[in-house]
Amino acid sequence: MSKMYRIGIIGCGGIANGKHLPSLKKLGNVELVAFCDIVPERAEIAAAEYGCEGAQIYSDYRELLKDESLDIVHVLTPNDMHAEITIAALEADKHVMCEKPMAKTATDARRMVEAAKRTGKKLTIGYNNRFRPDSLHLKKICESGDLGHIYFAKAHAIRRRAVPTWGVFLDEEKQGGGPLIDIGTHALDLTLWMMNNYKPKVVLGTKYHELSQTENAANAWGPWDPAKFTVEDSAFGMIIMENGATVMLESSWALNTLDVHEAKCTLSGSKAGADMKNGLRINGEEFGLLYTKEAELGAGGVAFYEGKAENDADLEMKSWIEAVDKDLEPVVTPEQACVVSEILEAIYESAKTGKAVYMNS
């Protein structure tokens, strides 16, 4: 029998209720015993729906961390609090899952890595797109060497008009940025993971506020308030890795384009290529002819469980708890997530200065 793990939730907003809590509730070896939010009503509602009997409610995360019976903490707050709370939780002897991006700044991300090493506790970051069927299958293809040396890639995070108008998404002080740090982070994480390349050399970036000041704009969640839109509406980056590989990162909440893809990547290798734009497609040359093949990603033979379809969030939570239970390395390591944060910050810095940012120099 696996141990029953006691979990505390810090931040009971949209990402908690939309992703973490429903998936954790399905697991048989966890108890959701503590809920914290600066708005107590949110913690109370989450506890009522997902908590075990007697679940505790907090408005101060420091009080929650005093509970020595907690094994695991999920940090689901705005970006500016990720590092502070995660480090405190690790030092309080808890394993931590922190939502993406790892932190608002690269310095904070590095502090989180150091804290995990110092305390010996496990830390992972919520990059759930790694757990999609197409992602898992493409990762196997990459690891098999079928694509050869992947020397060019594109990380896609483009929306035509889908600016999140709730919460603090438009608040640069709390989030650190807009679509680049929100959805671009997913695409970059996925791309670097496929390439298994975490050594950036130089980064060049641009960002734009071209559509953010549009009044009564068409938008999936209704018009945004231009006065509150303090982050970029689009940002783009070129990353050259130490081995010479090039990654192009595109991110936007609002762009005049029909080429709309989010949390996907395109890979070009010396033997074959792949993209996730319309399903998972592999392209190459065989016996003097070009080919394109599409993977059938129905249940069975795709993820870790034969004949059983699971969504990415369910599989992410199951994998995370298994890593704690069996003392395994999490699928998303803090070191990998830290590199993503360092690259994102370099894109913002390059966009600000107009100069390339040389990494590790």
Side-chain angles (χ1 to χ4, degrees), residues 126-138:
Y127 285 114
N128 54 284
N129 286 288
R130 292 195 190 189
F131 296 87
R132 300 187 328 238
D134 58 340
S135 302
L136 291 166
H137 191 66
L138 181 54

Side-chain angles (χ1 to χ4, degrees), residues 194-214:
M194 294 300 173
M195 299 173 75
N196 192 26
N197 191 341
Y198 291 91
K199 295 183 178 181
K201 180 180 180 181
V202 61
V203 174
L204 185 65
T206 56
K207 69 175 183 178
Y208 299 92
H209 296 267
E210 294 291 335
L211 303 183
S212 63
Q213 299 308 299
T214 304

Side-chain angles (χ1 to χ4, degrees), residues 207-267:
K207 69 175 183 178
Y208 299 92
H209 296 267
E210 294 291 335
L211 303 183
S212 63
Q213 299 308 299
T214 304
E215 299 281 353
N216 300 313
N219 189 50
W221 293 289
W224 56 80
D225 182 350
K228 296 180 180 179
F229 205 142
T230 62
V231 297
E232 80 279 1
D233 53 53
S234 300
F236 308 94
M238 181 175 74
I239 306 106
I240 301 174
M241 312 303 284
E242 286 187 2
N243 70 347
T246 300
V247 178
M248 305 298 295
L249 171 59
E250 53 185 32
S251 64
S252 182
W253 285 334
L255 191 69
N256 288 322
T257 181
L258 298 178
D259 190 20
V260 177
H261 304 282
E262 186 173 337
K264 297 182 180 180
C265 65
T266 297
L267 307 174

Side-chain angles (χ1 to χ4, degrees), residues 84-279:
E84 176 183 318
I85 299 174
T86 294
I87 293 170
L90 291 167
E91 291 177 342
D93 203 34
K94 325 295 186 192
H95 302 292
V96 179
M97 169 176 273
C98 177
E99 248 308 317
K100 65 77 192 171
M102 189 171 190
K104 178 181 171 181
T105 69
T107 296
D108 278 347
R110 289 189 285 268
R111 289 174 55 225
M112 292 164 71
V113 171
E114 192 279 328
K117 291 179 178 178
R118 172 166 38 83
T119 61
K121 307 306 290 186
K122 294 191 185 300
L123 171 61
T124 195
I125 308 301
Y127 285 114
N128 54 284
N129 286 288
R130 292 195 190 189
F131 296 87
R132 300 187 328 238
D134 58 340
S135 302
L136 291 166
H137 191 66
L138 181 54
K139 179 63 173 176
K140 291 179 181 178
I141 292 172
C142 292
E143 289 180 335
S144 74
D146 285 359
L147 300 187
H149 166 53
I150 302 171
Y151 58 91
F152 180 67
K154 294 181 180 180
H156 309 287
I158 296 293
R159 298 174 181 174
R160 187 181 182 188
R161 292 292 190 284
V163 177
T165 53
W166 67 93
V168 297
F169 283 102
L170 303 182
D171 187 333
E172 186 168 15
E173 182 62 29
K174 288 189 174 296
Q175 291 295 91
L180 180 63
I181 202 168
D182 177 39
I183 57 176
T185 190
H186 273 301
L188 181 58
D189 171 74
L190 197 62
T191 304
L192 298 183
W193 186 55
M194 294 300 173
M195 299 173 75
N196 192 26
N197 191 341
Y198 291 91
K199 295 183 178 181
K201 180 180 180 181
V202 61
V203 174
L204 185 65
T206 56
K207 69 175 183 178
Y208 299 92
H209 296 267
E210 294 291 335
L211 303 183
S212 63
Q213 299 308 299
T214 304
E215 299 281 353
N216 300 313
N219 189 50
W221 293 289
W224 56 80
D225 182 350
K228 296 180 180 179
F229 205 142
T230 62
V231 297
E232 80 279 1
D233 53 53
S234 300
F236 308 94
M238 181 175 74
I239 306 106
I240 301 174
M241 312 303 284
E242 286 187 2
N243 70 347
T246 300
V247 178
M248 305 298 295
L249 171 59
E250 53 185 32
S251 64
S252 182
W253 285 334
L255 191 69
N256 288 322
T257 181
L258 298 178
D259 190 20
V260 177
H261 304 282
E262 186 173 337
K264 297 182 180 180
C265 65
T266 297
L267 307 174
S268 297
S270 56
K271 294 182 179 179
D275 73 66
M276 304 167 122
K277 287 190 171 183
N278 296 293

Side-chain angles (χ1 to χ4, degrees), residues 69-94:
S69 73
L70 289 177
D71 302 296
I72 299 169
V73 166
H74 283 220
V75 179
L76 314 177
T77 65
N79 299 344
D80 65 339
M81 292 300 292
H82 283 187
E84 176 183 318
I85 299 174
T86 294
I87 293 170
L90 291 167
E91 291 177 342
D93 203 34
K94 325 295 186 192

